[in-house]
Amino acid sequence: MKQDYSLAPKSEIDSTEFETVADVVPLYPNSSQLNETFAELERSLPFVEDESWGNLLRFTDNLTAPLHRWFLFKEGYSYKLVDKILDRFDLPGKSSAILDPFSGSGTTLLAAQKRGIPSVGLEINPFAAFLGRIKTQWYRIEPEILEKELSLVLQDNEHPPANLPALSTLHNNKYFPNGHADELLKLRNAILRRPCSQETKDFLLLALLASIEDVSYLHKDGRLLRFFQRDIIPPKEALSNRTKIIIEDLENLIQQDENGTQNPCIPQTNVIQGDARDLDSVLDQHEISDQFGLILYSPPYPNNFDYSEIYKCELWLGGFLNSYEEWRNLRLRTFRSHPSCSFPETHCLKDNVALREVYQLVEKMAKCPDIGEPGSRARVRAPKVIRGYFDDVYLMLEQQKIRLKTSGYIICVVGNSRHGNLHVRADTIIAKIGQAIGLELVEIRVARHRQSRSQQVQKLRESLVVFQKNN
Ligand SMILES: C[S@@+](CC[C@H](N)C(=O)[O-])C[C@H]1O[C@@H](n2cnc3c(N)ncnc32)[C@H](O)[C@@H]1O
């Protein structure tokens, strides 16, 4: 089912009513009763506790790995996770390709590329799609050219007048002291003015966007960008450092290639900017007819995290967004894991008889009296997040099933979350939705338990939900 959120007129979206506090009646189970319901339900599910996978759900390994280290994408997983999965699960047929419908910084795609496996990534955020695309096209640029162009950009002192993008954060001297935001913009314009290839400009732009945290007091901290005073460096120095990391990796990879240690034949890797809930039609539009042997990804978790907010400086400074209206439209196309905008309502679980049990569980969570303090904004917003999130899970899994080969695997890496004192077990609900649409649930591998800030909520699992398609 195609959901075109971008086209919903503002008046229609804003008129969507939030549930009022009065609607949350105590007829619905409280959080401890829901804990019991889930404990009972989970006894019949194939949970496997395996904390040896825990570190693989973090970006840490990527910080020192060639190509992966070009940009700190905190929410990404380790490339070693992809290796471990490929070692463990046999993909159907020798020519199976891999799909990551939430490709973020491109971890899955780069790891697949290294093993000679073709892959496709879908990503809604244009900055993240750019990041994944450039990293997976590392072989298209010569390090010597990049080095030469870097020095010409750094020497360019002609600065035709240019206005900073409208984003207020970029105008805030507290975050960007000493004119650093203006300086970043000048460097970006100097890159765009160079009479060199588009590829060279893209690599330099990536290095520039990776510099934002080096030159500002902004720090990505969970779902917020926070002020964090620390040592920062001037933008030219940051751009130079970041480009040199890229050049170093390219030189090493070329050398390995000459020694025959790098895969001589680089497999096809595509990164498409698109919505994972429209997977089939997006792939059709790009003339990708493949069915995939493995669909491996980590969607946004139901934890109020909004990627368009966290990566707003990269989006605006990179020129991927030019107005607040475009920003809002991007938000409206993101997975409904956050309450940053009023998403149109859908009723996918409600309208599907096979999903009755899941629908009732989701409704019990959405109406749980412990979802937030009475009268709080959280109490009004969390039910919308929960309902929207699991409708989106249904939409994405339906689409993935269409593009999965028989005997192929879907592996969804997801974390549970807390809303007020309500524990939202995303792994369990995703497992139930997958089963209800006809996928075989192979296992729910629990890789980590994260401490919740609420005493009343148990530790939050982070799991791999593994499905296989049998027909
Ligand atoms: C957890 S991150 C993926 C990180 C990735 N595994 C990595 O290692 O870099 C989730 C990604 O989903 C993207 N996303 C959100 N809504 C989406 C949608 N509707 N379709 C496709 N991607 C979406 C976000 O922009 C974000 O980059």
Side-chain angles (χ1 to χ4, degrees), residues 255-264:
Q255 207 175 351
Q256 282 174 24
D257 213 359
E258 281 162 2
N259 297 341
T261 44
Q262 176 72 23
N263 194 330

Side-chain angles (χ1 to χ4, degrees), residues 42-54 57 84 88-89 414 427-428 431 441-449 461-466:
E42 287 174 357
R43 269 195 278 280
S44 64
L45 296 178
F47 275 93
V48 181
E49 289 282 340
D50 188 350
E51 299 217 355
S52 71
W53 290 61
L57 304 197
K84 192 151 175 161
R88 186 182 177 92
F89 295 97
V414 74
D427 53 2
T428 298
L441 178 63
V442 177
E443 63 181 32
I444 306 174
R445 184 163 291 262
V446 182
R448 270 174 87 189
H449 290 272
R461 291 186 299 252
E462 228 172 326
S463 314
L464 286 82
V465 186
V466 183

Side-chain angles (χ1 to χ4, degrees), residues 76-77 101-102 104-105 107 123-125 274-276 298 300 307 333 335:
Y77 43 58
F102 298 90
S105 64
T107 309
E123 169 58 55
I124 201 75
N125 183 310
D275 187 338
S298 173
Y307 286 84
R333 296 198 309 274
F335 216 70

Side-chain angles (χ1 to χ4, degrees), residues 240-251:
S240 171
N241 294 347
R242 292 280 173 184
T243 313
K244 282 180 181 155
I245 292 176
I246 297 181
I247 291 171
E248 187 181 305
D249 284 355
L250 295 178
E251 284 171 346

Side-chain angles (χ1 to χ4, degrees), residues 4 156 182 195 232 250-251 275 291 319 327 376 390 423 435 438 462:
D4 194 350
D156 182 346
D182 282 298
I232 56 173
L250 295 178
E251 284 171 346
D275 187 338
Q291 284 209 309
W327 193 14
S376 65
F390 291 110
H423 186 167
Q435 282 182 317
E462 228 172 326

